[in-house]
Amino acid sequence: MATQVRARHILVKTEDEAKTILYDVTVGKKDFGAVAMEKSMCPSKKNGGDLGWFGRGMMVKDFEVAAFALKPGEISKPVKTQFGWHIIKVEEVK
């Protein structure tokens, strides 16, 4: 079976917003899911940004590359896609 990840993300409009959120969830130790519910533009925000399990080819390329490079518990630097700026947290890999 191909590798899959379960990830959360926070989607915002600007790189500056993404950098502020990254600081909040890393240095500030704010709960990733709670910040997603408050700040994310994605419908997944109602689930704390949880995207569930996905494999390669299911997400836009830049998002996928960033998500599959992370280990469980790690949080990405801001990632730009056509949808905006993402902060990604990988929960599990299988």
Side-chain angles (χ1 to χ4, degrees):
M1 183 162 113
T3 302
Q4 292 188 319
V5 299
R6 186 170 75 81
R8 295 178 183 272
H9 81 134
I10 300 169
L11 175 63
V12 293
K13 288 184 181 164
T14 69
E15 185 178 13
D16 285 343
E17 284 177 285
K19 286 178 178 176
T20 297
I21 287 167
L22 179 60
Y23 180 89
D24 288 347
V25 298
T26 55
V27 179
K29 302 289 185 200
K30 290 189 178 176
D31 180 72
F32 195 94
V35 175
M37 284 193 232
E38 182 185 340
K39 305 277 187 182
S40 184
M41 302 184 312
C42 182
S44 69
K45 75 181 197 174
K46 69 183 182 299
N47 299 321
D50 194 342
L51 297 169
W53 289 98
F54 58 89
R56 294 186 189 276
M58 296 176 69
M59 299 291 177
V60 294
K61 189 69 178 166
D62 291 334
F63 186 98
E64 176 184 299
V65 168
F68 278 87
L70 297 169
K71 293 183 179 89
E74 289 184 334
I75 297 173
S76 72
K77 290 182 169 45
V79 177
K80 187 172 188 342
T81 70
Q82 70 261 37
F83 302 107
W85 290 88
H86 306 261
I87 301 295
I88 305 162
K89 180 179 182 184
V90 168
E91 297 288 350
E92 298 177 78
V93 178
K94 67 176 181 182

